[in-house]
Amino acid sequence: MIVKSSARVFVSWVIGVGLIFVITGFAAAADTIKLGVAGAHSGDLASYGLPTKRAAELVVKEFNAKGGVLGKKVEILAEDDVCKPEVATNTATRLVSGGAHVVLGHICSGATKTALGIYKDAGIIAMSSSATNPELTQSGKYPNFFRTIASDDAQARLDAGFAMDVLKVKKIAVLHDKGDYGKGLAEYARSFIEASNKAKVVLFEGITPGAVDYSAVVNKIKQSGAEAVIYGGYHPEASSIVIQMRKKRMNTYFISDDGVKDDTFIKVAGKAAEGVYASGPKDTTKNPLAIAAIAAHKKAYNADPGAFFLNGYAAAQALLTAIQKAKSTKYADVAKALRTEPVDTPLGRIKFDKNGDAIGVGFSMYQVKNGVYVETSTAASDPAAPKKKR
Amino acid sequence: MDYFLELFFGGLTRGSIYALIALGYTMVYGIIELINFAHGEIYMIGAFTALIVSSVLAFAGLSGLSVLFLAAAAAIVYSAAHGFTVEKIGYKPLRQAPRLSPLISAIGMSIFLQNYVMLAQTSDFLPFPSLLPDLPFLSDLEIGIGSTEAIILMTTAVSMVLLTLLIKFTKMGKAMRATAQDRNMAMLVGVDVNRTISYTFIIGSTLAAIGGVLIASHIGRINFYIGFIAGIKAFTAAVLGGIGSIPGAVLGALVLGWTESFATGYVSSDYEDVFAFLLLVIILIVRPSGLLGRSTAQKV
């Protein structure tokens, strides 16, 4: 009997304390700006999510030190979705019911996609630092979605555009290594070239990674009369192909991706690497804001920041600055501010296009000159280039 | 026609390289009926040795053909020593064991050697200097064959002839043939079987080392994993030609090289391996013992 009643007392005590928290929570809602931060904060993929959460904390600290946003302190509501779409719906619901004004997240494309519907219905803007699936912005289904990372097809668009507009070639061979990354890039590149009508894809092939030699493929490139090769894949195969092309005295342009923009490529291919083009993420190492953000992270956590940290930092800054400039937390006002008011971030000066992709974020074209990759000035890296529905 | 010739020579080069490695498989199988999975790794070790020696020699100021020959010699010695040791450690103690045991031992040796090179050297790709001399007159001839291809073809042809002479006309060759026919009988008539088997491994490893130097110069990069794919392809070639048969291994390797080259050239490189293995299946259905393999009736 005694045990039972003490249990009852305990339960009511728990409910009572819980109620106090809930009430104080509602009370606090009145005078803070709530920044929801959703993503993988535990589990296998926590290393993708935690840097963005830390970035948000640093940005919020910085804003609060300057007096907050719209005269109110900014508060973080962090929710974990472990990068799983089935968890992300709950995460999103909790953030919505917790009163988040804007959401920084999610981290993985799949989880982001499921959560976006919930935010859309609730009239909340979500901005991801790392979800790269092209559909998220290009499908037009999620007008409340923004991101500070270039989509998966941005590199392909840059590579294809560079070949057609800067090098002005008419015949392009597109090769890939049959892997997810390389093949995906090659297929995007092919569809951009075919849609533009400026050049023709004369050869589209997958090569076998690790094969003994690539002379047959190189012969085929020669036979096809291609003026440029766009290769999706990694440096080991790229170096073999380039070496064999140059051995056959072919001066065909060779354009590739981030997997080839690696110093090992230059080391292995040696002289043959000269003049090769490869796209890679924009250089942010000279941006003072990036240097400051990384220094702040080192001071707070005594470690180098992880993946997508600068993207997360930029996203948090963009969201809070947009609220400040819009002088409102209303959906339409904030969305308009994001699209019209540029903001200085560690990724450079960015604003967002009508699909929600950040303009000025993404990839640049590099060329090997005297044994090092040099950023070419002619690169027009713009994820906001003409969209094509798929 | 030019295109055809280019593909033809490309396939021939590829086939010659497969042949050099396939010979090691087929010789070992002919003598002790063991598929020596570590053979691809011997080829990789040959390439690594040549790289290290040639870098040292280049540092010492040597250049040209002397580097090539010294590096190749070092690669041969080192690979042969590895082949010899692998046999002594991994296969000799298991000679009387059921046939699966040495097979597992061979797979273990292969994994061991890969990881040993990875840890001792690096897991990255390394640039391999083009040791083979440039023969500009070949590109002037415009028959679709480059100088490295020509050198690979010549070296392989010479190695084949020497190997055939060795097996046909020397005492050791006779002992090898005797051991291959019947190990116990050879032992009874006074053939030192252990020595013969060791020699077989040394000769196979020598050919693999030559292959390693040639192909590494041809493609210009190596890492610890190159032996695996080359080994699988060479093994396929050996089976295609009839495992245990030396001319069969060469023929199988050339057929495989041409199939891959023409499949890439006229169909699509996406299907390179599909065609290569489809051919293997068809040949094995029609001729279960391979192109030149003898169909040995099992004695009951």
Side-chain angles (χ1 to χ4, degrees), chain A residues 139-306:
Chain A
S139 68
K141 275 190 254 172
Y142 307 108
N144 60 327
F145 181 65
F146 296 82
R147 64 178 154 205
T148 52
I149 191 161
S151 65
D152 284 335
D153 58 355
Q155 266 201 88
R157 186 178 283 123
L158 172 62
D159 289 349
F162 188 83
M164 294 185 294
D165 302 332
V166 181
L167 301 175
K168 304 216 184 294
V169 294
K170 297 280 171 242
K171 289 178 176 175
I172 301 174
V174 181
L175 301 181
H176 59 85
D177 65 355
K178 298 187 208 166
D180 280 349
Y181 171 67
K183 193 171 182 188
L185 188 125
E187 279 171 350
Y188 285 129
R190 177 172 64 175
S191 64
F192 292 138
I193 295 168
E194 281 171 355
S196 76
N197 279 329
K198 281 188 234 163
K200 240 177 81 186
V201 178
V202 290
L203 183 68
F204 184 83
E205 294 230 333
I207 59 157
T208 310
V212 177
D213 79 341
Y214 294 107
S215 57
V217 172
V218 171
N219 280 331
K220 213 169 173 183
I221 298 171
K222 197 173 166 189
Q223 181 75 3
S224 72
E227 299 157 271
V229 174
I230 294 181
Y231 176 73
Y234 299 96
H235 63 82
E237 286 74 33
S239 55
S240 283
I241 295 173
V242 169
I243 290 172
Q244 296 202 342
M245 272 167 54
R246 300 302 180 237
K247 256 190 197 159
K248 287 200 185 287
R249 291 162 204 198
M250 295 159 62
N251 323 314
T252 321
Y253 292 115
F254 194 85
I255 304 163
S256 194
D257 53 30
D258 200 18
V260 173
K261 202 199 148 274
D262 185 304
D263 289 339
T264 317
F265 172 76
I266 301 177
K267 210 173 79 190
V268 171
K271 261 188 240 152
E274 283 299 311
V276 165
Y277 293 99
S279 52
K282 275 203 172 148
D283 189 10
T284 56
T285 51
K286 289 187 193 80
N287 184 325
L289 286 170
I291 295 167
I294 292 168
H297 184 279
K298 272 193 185 147
K299 203 175 143 206
Y301 300 103
N302 201 19
D304 279 325

Side-chain angles (χ1 to χ4, degrees), chain A residues 205-206 212-213 219-220 240, chain B residues 6 14 218-219 221 264 269:
Chain A
E205 294 230 333
V212 177
D213 79 341
N219 280 331
K220 213 169 173 183
S240 283
Chain B
E6 281 189 358
R14 206 181 244 227
H218 180 53
I219 63 171
R221 67 185 165 101
T264 301
S269 64

Side-chain angles (χ1 to χ4, degrees), chain A residues 19 28 53 57-58 81 103 110 147 175 191 245 292 300 322 378:
Chain A
L19 218 59
K53 192 180 162 206
E57 282 160 6
L58 291 171
D81 70 0
V103 172
R147 64 178 154 205
L175 301 181
S191 64
M245 272 167 54
T378 40

